[in-house]
Amino acid sequence: MSETPESRLAALGITLPTPATPVANYLPWTRSGSLIVISGQLPLKDGKLLATGKLGDAVSLDLGTEAARFCLINLIAQLKTAVGDLSKVTRVVRLGGFIACTPEFTAHATVMNGASDLAVDVFGDAGRHARSTVGVPSLPLDAPVEVEGLFEIG
């Protein structure tokens, strides 16, 4: 029996949460052909933000990296709702990361690796993706990280 994304999540000790409900006028995900776009997800753990504040100030690099990982867990929860079976995912096409940070902070890529590394851990080679990572002055609810995703399904 080959590994599936669900079996990899289980091996990592990850249980997907109930997907977050949008807090404004947008959809949590949308499909166009074989592409699924997942709206930006915050680092929620047990329904609460893992951390608040900015990288380079109140949020450490390690905590920011963990926050990006939780953003991806929440993205995967939305994705599972969208497709039912994560084995239908043929490629993580792109991840976009937004890092709330001070102007001097420059380790955006390291923070975003929290999401990127987990994408590969869960989806294998299909988890390798293009990405952008941008520093911003603030994010909703004072979250330190937000991650959005584009996935291909077969």
Side-chain angles (χ1 to χ4, degrees), residues 47-81:
K48 297 183 183 351
L49 283 175
L50 180 68
T52 58
K54 294 179 176 33
L55 277 290
D57 186 24
V59 179
S60 70
L61 188 60
D62 287 345
L63 185 54
T65 303
E66 184 180 4
R69 186 179 198 287
F70 273 94
C71 289
L72 191 76
I73 290 169
N74 289 298
L75 272 167
I76 295 170
Q78 293 286 2
L79 183 60
K80 184 162 176 62
T81 297

Side-chain angles (χ1 to χ4, degrees), residues 74-125:
N74 289 298
L75 272 167
I76 295 170
Q78 293 286 2
L79 183 60
K80 184 162 176 62
T81 297
V83 302
D85 178 358
L86 293 175
S87 293
K88 293 179 182 176
V89 176
T90 57
R91 161 103 20 230
V92 178
V93 178
R94 178 188 179 278
L95 295 178
F98 304 92
I99 313 300
C101 60
T102 63
E104 302 78 24
F105 184 79
T106 60
H108 306 78
T110 301
V111 171
M112 191 58 185
N113 281 343
S116 292
D117 292 349
L118 183 58
V120 174
D121 289 344
V122 172
F123 295 101
D125 282 340

